[in-house]
Amino acid sequence: MRHIAGRRTAGIVAALAVTTLVAAGCSDDNDNDKDKAASSVASAVTGSEGASTSAGEDGGGVVTLDAADGSKVELTGPIAGKYAAATEAQKKDLGKPMTGDDAAGTSDSGVVFQQFDGGVISAANGTLGTPAYITWGKIRDAWNVDRAEDGQPSDDGKGGSDGPLGAATSDETTDGDMKKSTFENGEITYDTKTDKVTVTVDGKTVDTE
């Protein structure tokens, strides 16, 4: 994943009301239910800060947010779903979506992402239903460090989802003073009491930076 320096900048994000609908089957008996579902999802909900959600052509939601530069940023697929399902505290910590060439897109590994002032939402791919996760703070910073295949920091290595840790597989969890995020090939922990970050790749602890 392309690197954007992370900082947990508090931004005020409008509350979103989103209805998640699952339509199953394709028989004529389900036509009315599917029509109702499509109609419900297609109804836009607009917040006081200009955030809105509506249906995309693929049946998934589209979340539109105001960026810091005044432009509009559209979230789609798993990224939109994760943002819509986030708590108000998470949205506040994420802040406004970033813009520019490195702010969103698809990494070399196929991971889709959207950078925010205070974090990043990423998913292993852009297919609807693929789980998406929020990564931020010092864990995000350590994930973005360029690393060799063995996980050690290297100027010739790769960082983020393209690096040896791979894609995110969890949101940040908290157990006492310890915060942790897991990845395809390891985990990163942050001890808020000691301010220590520990990076583990393929079961081996490696240098943080």
Side-chain angles (χ1 to χ4, degrees):
M1 185 176 298
R2 305 180 185 94
H3 301 170
I4 301 288
R7 61 185 186 280
R8 303 188 69 168
T9 304
I12 300 175
V13 181
L16 299 173
V18 175
T19 302
T20 301
L21 299 165
V22 178
C26 57
S27 67
D28 292 341
D29 293 340
N30 291 327
D31 284 348
N32 289 337
D33 290 339
K34 288 158 67 178
D35 289 343
K36 290 178 182 178
S39 176
S40 178
V41 175
S43 299
V45 180
T46 303
S48 60
E49 295 296 326
S52 67
T53 179
S54 61
E57 293 180 359
D58 58 0
V62 175
V63 175
T64 304
L65 301 174
D66 290 330
D69 62 6
S71 64
K72 300 288 186 181
V73 173
E74 286 192 349
L75 312 181
T76 60
I79 305 301
K82 182 62 177 180
Y83 187 87
T87 66
E88 290 307 307
Q90 288 174 320
K91 292 174 184 176
K92 182 178 180 181
D93 283 345
L94 278 171
K96 291 185 177 295
M98 302 183 75
T99 58
D101 293 339
D102 295 332
T106 304
S107 71
D108 292 341
S109 59
V111 170
V112 294
F113 65 94
Q114 171 65 55
Q115 301 279 5
F116 292 79
D117 286 338
V120 61
I121 299 178
S122 63
N125 57 67
T127 303
L128 288 175
T130 300
Y133 304 102
I134 298 173
T135 310
W136 47 24
K138 295 198 173 184
I139 289 178
R140 177 200 195 188
D141 293 343
W143 184 33
N144 277 339
V145 170
D146 288 335
R147 300 180 182 278
E149 292 183 359
D150 63 1
Q152 291 294 352
S154 170
D155 291 338
D156 297 325
K158 296 182 178 180
S161 62
D162 290 334
L165 280 162
T169 56
S170 79
D171 289 328
E172 182 180 275
T173 59
T174 302
D175 183 6
D177 297 322
M178 191 68 69
K179 295 181 180 295
K180 180 174 78 171
S181 288
T182 62
F183 302 87
E184 290 176 309
N185 305 310
E187 66 180 36
I188 301 175
T189 60
Y190 170 53
D191 190 324
T192 58
K193 187 174 182 178
T194 63
D195 200 38
K196 181 181 180 181
V197 176
T198 302
V199 180
T200 304
V201 178
D202 290 331
K204 177 184 177 182
T205 299
V206 297
D207 294 338
T208 302
E209 57 184 4

